[in-house]
PDB file of all heavy atoms in Angstrom:
ATOM      1  N   VAL A 220       6.384   8.311 -17.753  1.00 98.00           N
ATOM      2  CA  VAL A 220       6.630   7.148 -18.604  1.00 98.00           C
ATOM      3  C   VAL A 220       7.690   7.555 -19.627  1.00 98.00           C
ATOM      4  O   VAL A 220       7.510   8.546 -20.346  1.00 98.00           O
ATOM      5  CB  VAL A 220       5.347   6.690 -19.313  1.00 98.00           C
ATOM      6  CG1 VAL A 220       5.624   5.421 -20.120  1.00 98.00           C
ATOM      7  CG2 VAL A 220       4.227   6.445 -18.309  1.00 98.00           C
ATOM      8  N   GLY A 221       8.796   6.811 -19.687  1.00 97.00           N
ATOM      9  CA  GLY A 221       9.875   7.188 -20.599  1.00 97.00           C
ATOM     10  C   GLY A 221      10.442   8.531 -20.221  1.00 97.00           C
ATOM     11  O   GLY A 221      10.855   8.745 -19.080  1.00 97.00           O
ATOM     12  N   ASP A 222      10.424   9.471 -21.154  1.00 97.00           N
ATOM     13  CA  ASP A 222      10.969  10.800 -20.881  1.00 97.00           C
ATOM     14  C   ASP A 222       9.873  11.855 -20.761  1.00 97.00           C
ATOM     15  O   ASP A 222      10.126  13.045 -20.927  1.00 97.00           O
ATOM     16  CB  ASP A 222      11.946  11.207 -21.980  1.00 97.00           C
ATOM     17  CG  ASP A 222      11.287  11.288 -23.366  1.00 97.00           C
ATOM     18  OD1 ASP A 222      10.071  10.978 -23.474  1.00 97.00           O
ATOM     19  OD2 ASP A 222      11.973  11.645 -24.341  1.00 97.00           O
ATOM     20  N   THR A 223       8.636  11.401 -20.450  1.00 98.00           N
ATOM     21  CA  THR A 223       7.491  12.315 -20.478  1.00 98.00           C
ATOM     22  C   THR A 223       6.678  12.219 -19.192  1.00 98.00           C
ATOM     23  O   THR A 223       6.482  11.132 -18.645  1.00 98.00           O
ATOM     24  CB  THR A 223       6.567  11.992 -21.672  1.00 98.00           C
ATOM     25  OG1 THR A 223       7.343  12.020 -22.877  1.00 98.00           O
ATOM     26  CG2 THR A 223       5.437  12.994 -21.783  1.00 98.00           C
ATOM     27  N   LEU A 224       6.202  13.391 -18.738  1.00 98.00           N
ATOM     28  CA  LEU A 224       5.232  13.456 -17.653  1.00 98.00           C
ATOM     29  C   LEU A 224       3.857  13.713 -18.253  1.00 98.00           C
ATOM     30  O   LEU A 224       3.711  14.534 -19.159  1.00 98.00           O
ATOM     31  CB  LEU A 224       5.564  14.587 -16.677  1.00 98.00           C
ATOM     32  CG  LEU A 224       6.842  14.482 -15.840  1.00 98.00           C
ATOM     33  CD1 LEU A 224       6.913  15.655 -14.881  1.00 98.00           C
ATOM     34  CD2 LEU A 224       6.906  13.181 -15.083  1.00 98.00           C
ATOM     35  N   TYR A 225       2.842  13.024 -17.719  1.00 98.00           N
ATOM     36  CA  TYR A 225       1.456  13.205 -18.161  1.00 98.00           C
ATOM     37  C   TYR A 225       0.619  13.659 -16.965  1.00 98.00           C
ATOM     38  O   TYR A 225       0.704  13.077 -15.873  1.00 98.00           O
ATOM     39  CB  TYR A 225       0.890  11.901 -18.718  1.00 98.00           C
ATOM     40  CG  TYR A 225       1.646  11.366 -19.910  1.00 98.00           C
ATOM     41  CD1 TYR A 225       2.595  10.352 -19.758  1.00 98.00           C
ATOM     42  CD2 TYR A 225       1.427  11.863 -21.191  1.00 98.00           C
ATOM     43  CE1 TYR A 225       3.294   9.852 -20.850  1.00 98.00           C
ATOM     44  CE2 TYR A 225       2.118  11.369 -22.291  1.00 98.00           C
ATOM     45  CZ  TYR A 225       3.052  10.361 -22.113  1.00 98.00           C
ATOM     46  OH  TYR A 225       3.746   9.869 -23.194  1.00 98.00           O
ATOM     47  N   LEU A 226      -0.214  14.663 -17.180  1.00 98.00           N
ATOM     48  CA  LEU A 226      -1.033  15.182 -16.096  1.00 98.00           C
ATOM     49  C   LEU A 226      -2.300  15.806 -16.648  1.00 98.00           C
ATOM     50  O   LEU A 226      -2.461  15.960 -17.868  1.00 98.00           O
ATOM     51  CB  LEU A 226      -0.246  16.217 -15.287  1.00 98.00           C
ATOM     52  CG  LEU A 226       0.322  17.409 -16.066  1.00 98.00           C
ATOM     53  CD1 LEU A 226      -0.277  18.707 -15.563  1.00 98.00           C
ATOM     54  CD2 LEU A 226       1.838  17.447 -15.962  1.00 98.00           C
ATOM     55  N   CYS A 227      -3.208  16.146 -15.761  1.00 98.00           N
ATOM     56  CA  CYS A 227      -4.419  16.875 -16.143  1.00 98.00           C
ATOM     57  C   CYS A 227      -4.540  18.107 -15.260  1.00 98.00           C
ATOM     58  O   CYS A 227      -3.792  18.278 -14.300  1.00 98.00           O
ATOM     59  CB  CYS A 227      -5.655  15.985 -16.019  1.00 98.00           C
ATOM     60  SG  CYS A 227      -5.881  15.233 -14.384  1.00 98.00           S
ATOM     61  N   THR A 228      -5.482  18.980 -15.587  1.00 97.00           N
ATOM     62  CA  THR A 228      -5.685  20.229 -14.860  1.00 97.00           C
ATOM     63  C   THR A 228      -7.114  20.260 -14.316  1.00 97.00           C
ATOM     64  O   THR A 228      -7.941  19.409 -14.656  1.00 97.00           O
ATOM     65  CB  THR A 228      -5.463  21.433 -15.787  1.00 97.00           C
ATOM     66  OG1 THR A 228      -6.552  21.494 -16.739  1.00 97.00           O
ATOM     67  CG2 THR A 228      -4.137  21.327 -16.529  1.00 97.00           C
ATOM     68  N   PRO A 229      -7.454  21.235 -13.464  1.00 96.00           N
ATOM     69  CA  PRO A 229      -8.810  21.276 -12.903  1.00 96.00           C
ATOM     70  C   PRO A 229      -9.916  21.254 -13.956  1.00 96.00           C
ATOM     71  O   PRO A 229     -10.971  20.648 -13.737  1.00 96.00           O
ATOM     72  CB  PRO A 229      -8.813  22.577 -12.105  1.00 96.00           C
ATOM     73  CG  PRO A 229      -7.393  22.755 -11.691  1.00 96.00           C
ATOM     74  CD  PRO A 229      -6.585  22.262 -12.854  1.00 96.00           C
ATOM     75  N   HIS A 230      -9.707  21.906 -15.111  1.00 96.00           N
ATOM     76  CA  HIS A 230     -10.719  21.905 -16.168  1.00 96.00           C
ATOM     77  C   HIS A 230     -10.454  20.818 -17.197  1.00 96.00           C
ATOM     78  O   HIS A 230     -10.913  20.895 -18.335  1.00 96.00           O
ATOM     79  CB  HIS A 230     -10.797  23.287 -16.818  1.00 96.00           C
ATOM     80  CG  HIS A 230     -11.278  24.354 -15.871  1.00 96.00           C
ATOM     81  ND1 HIS A 230     -10.414  25.175 -15.176  1.00 96.00           N
ATOM     82  CD2 HIS A 230     -12.529  24.705 -15.478  1.00 96.00           C
ATOM     83  CE1 HIS A 230     -11.109  25.993 -14.414  1.00 96.00           C
ATOM     84  NE2 HIS A 230     -12.386  25.733 -14.575  1.00 96.00           N
ATOM     85  N   ASN A 231      -9.696  19.810 -16.753  1.00 97.00           N
ATOM     86  CA  ASN A 231      -9.534  18.560 -17.502  1.00 97.00           C
ATOM     87  C   ASN A 231      -8.745  18.702 -18.797  1.00 97.00           C
ATOM     88  O   ASN A 231      -8.956  17.942 -19.735  1.00 97.00           O
ATOM     89  CB  ASN A 231     -10.900  17.908 -17.776  1.00 97.00           C
ATOM     90  CG  ASN A 231     -11.737  17.732 -16.537  1.00 97.00           C
ATOM     91  OD1 ASN A 231     -12.872  18.185 -16.487  1.00 97.00           O
ATOM     92  ND2 ASN A 231     -11.181  17.094 -15.527  1.00 97.00           N
ATOM     93  N   TRP A 232      -7.826  19.644 -18.846  1.00 98.00           N
ATOM     94  CA  TRP A 232      -6.870  19.621 -19.928  1.00 98.00           C
ATOM     95  C   TRP A 232      -5.905  18.468 -19.657  1.00 98.00           C
ATOM     96  O   TRP A 232      -5.477  18.252 -18.518  1.00 98.00           O
ATOM     97  CB  TRP A 232      -6.056  20.914 -19.995  1.00 98.00           C
ATOM     98  CG  TRP A 232      -6.840  22.169 -20.168  1.00 98.00           C
ATOM     99  CD1 TRP A 232      -8.179  22.307 -20.377  1.00 98.00           C
ATOM    100  CD2 TRP A 232      -6.304  23.499 -20.118  1.00 98.00           C
ATOM    101  NE1 TRP A 232      -8.516  23.624 -20.463  1.00 98.00           N
ATOM    102  CE2 TRP A 232      -7.387  24.390 -20.312  1.00 98.00           C
ATOM    103  CE3 TRP A 232      -5.034  24.026 -19.934  1.00 98.00           C
ATOM    104  CZ2 TRP A 232      -7.229  25.765 -20.318  1.00 98.00           C
ATOM    105  CZ3 TRP A 232      -4.867  25.400 -19.948  1.00 98.00           C
ATOM    106  CH2 TRP A 232      -5.960  26.263 -20.138  1.00 98.00           C
ATOM    107  N   ALA A 233      -5.533  17.755 -20.671  1.00 98.00           N
ATOM    108  CA  ALA A 233      -4.474  16.755 -20.572  1.00 98.00           C
ATOM    109  C   ALA A 233      -3.209  17.363 -21.154  1.00 98.00           C
ATOM    110  O   ALA A 233      -3.241  18.004 -22.218  1.00 98.00           O
ATOM    111  CB  ALA A 233      -4.849  15.484 -21.322  1.00 98.00           C
ATOM    112  N   ILE A 234      -2.084  17.170 -20.457  1.00 98.00           N
ATOM    113  CA  ILE A 234      -0.838  17.806 -20.862  1.00 98.00           C
ATOM    114  C   ILE A 234       0.303  16.802 -20.752  1.00 98.00           C
ATOM    115  O   ILE A 234       0.365  16.017 -19.804  1.00 98.00           O
ATOM    116  CB  ILE A 234      -0.533  19.039 -19.987  1.00 98.00           C
ATOM    117  CG1 ILE A 234      -1.664  20.076 -20.110  1.00 98.00           C
ATOM    118  CG2 ILE A 234       0.792  19.682 -20.358  1.00 98.00           C
ATOM    119  CD1 ILE A 234      -1.514  21.261 -19.197  1.00 98.00           C
ATOM    120  N   ALA A 235       1.193  16.835 -21.737  1.00 98.00           N
ATOM    121  CA  ALA A 235       2.439  16.065 -21.687  1.00 98.00           C
ATOM    122  C   ALA A 235       3.598  17.046 -21.656  1.00 98.00           C
ATOM    123  O   ALA A 235       3.638  17.999 -22.446  1.00 98.00           O
ATOM    124  CB  ALA A 235       2.557  15.155 -22.904  1.00 98.00           C
ATOM    125  N   ILE A 236       4.545  16.835 -20.730  1.00 98.00           N
ATOM    126  CA  ILE A 236       5.703  17.718 -20.634  1.00 98.00           C
ATOM    127  C   ILE A 236       6.981  16.890 -20.548  1.00 98.00           C
ATOM    128  O   ILE A 236       6.962  15.738 -20.112  1.00 98.00           O
ATOM    129  CB  ILE A 236       5.604  18.690 -19.434  1.00 98.00           C
ATOM    130  CG1 ILE A 236       5.428  17.927 -18.117  1.00 98.00           C
ATOM    131  CG2 ILE A 236       4.478  19.666 -19.617  1.00 98.00           C
ATOM    132  CD1 ILE A 236       5.307  18.847 -16.916  1.00 98.00           C
TER     133      ILE A 236
END
Side-chain angles (χ1 to χ4, degrees):
V220 184
D222 61 357
T223 305
L224 294 184
Y225 300 99
L226 56 118
C227 55
T228 70
H230 295 96
N231 308 125
W232 302 354
I234 300 175
I236 57 181

